[in-house]
Amino acid sequence: MSESTLNSYDIIAYKIYESPENMGTEANFLAATETISQYISETFKDLDVFKDHLSRLEKRVKSINQFADTVYNYYQDKQPLSFDIVKNMVSAAKDINLKMITDIVAYKIYQSPEDKGPDLNFISAETFVAQYLSENFKNIREFRRCLSVLGKGHYAQEAFADLVY
């Protein structure tokens, strides 16, 4: 394996560590290894074509990061958006849009006859958001694309919260 590929494992494993999909050090490295292997097998006709592609990349950090970003984006597209992942993203505030959408849904619950107090309203909103996203989007990128179609900033968050509620 080339130095670029080896460094890419580390970068991808770190990106997974920083993401909601963090599964622990060993599992992150295994996921990175599996993703790179799958990416190479699906993208390149054979190993020689892949090696030729790598040889054309400059041997600088920027090139290694570009390759790692490409493979990590591939990884994110392949990761299903599960209820637990979304719930973790909201509760850990790993995605500000999801957190704001959840807060808006909780406020809508507060204004409704179903109001059960701030804590229960937030737990209900968190559940609604996690369920809605996991049932309607295959990955986080698809959700972000949808959000960008709805508008920018608070307007998009409010529009999406209306969909969830």
Side-chain angles (χ1 to χ4, degrees), residues 4-165:
S4 297
T5 308
L6 291 174
N7 289 333
S8 296
Y9 286 115
D10 294 335
I11 295 168
I12 295 165
Y14 181 73
K15 287 177 179 273
I16 294 169
Y17 166 77
E18 288 288 309
S19 77
E21 294 92 10
N22 180 14
M23 303 166 283
T25 305
E26 186 176 338
N28 292 346
F29 276 102
L30 290 173
T33 302
E34 182 179 318
T35 302
I36 288 175
S37 299
Q38 190 174 7
Y39 173 79
I40 291 169
S41 68
E42 290 182 11
T43 306
F44 299 98
K45 181 177 81 171
D46 58 35
L47 202 51
D48 291 333
V49 174
F50 173 65
K51 286 178 182 177
D52 181 56
H53 174 76
L54 281 181
S55 70
R56 283 186 267 127
L57 290 176
E58 297 177 34
K59 302 291 186 210
R60 291 187 239 158
V61 172
K62 183 179 178 183
S63 300
I64 294 168
N65 282 333
Q66 287 173 333
F67 179 74
D69 287 343
T70 300
V71 175
Y72 181 70
N73 289 338
Y74 171 86
Y75 170 81
Q76 279 191 315
D77 288 341
K78 296 286 185 181
Q79 290 300 307
L81 195 56
S82 71
F83 178 88
D84 290 332
I85 287 174
V86 176
K87 198 164 185 316
N88 181 38
M89 289 172 75
V90 172
S91 63
K94 289 188 176 186
D95 187 298
I96 190 67
N97 287 313
L98 286 176
K99 178 74 169 102
M100 292 302 296
I101 290 166
T102 303
D103 288 344
I104 294 167
V105 171
Y107 183 72
K108 289 178 180 291
I109 295 169
Y110 163 73
Q111 293 181 316
S112 77
E114 288 86 31
D115 178 30
K116 304 268 194 266
D119 292 337
L120 290 177
N121 289 348
F122 184 79
I123 291 169
S124 296
E126 187 178 54
T127 302
F128 294 154
V129 170
Q131 182 175 356
Y132 187 87
L133 260 73
S134 64
E135 290 177 358
N136 293 290
F137 298 95
K138 66 179 186 173
N139 57 46
I140 196 71
R141 289 173 165 246
E142 196 175 90
F143 158 69
R144 288 183 180 138
R145 275 192 290 272
C146 174
L147 200 59
S148 71
V149 167
L150 293 173
K152 294 185 181 224
H154 188 70
Y155 178 77
Q157 295 163 349
E158 184 79 38
F160 197 85
D162 287 340
L163 292 173
V164 172
Y165 186 73

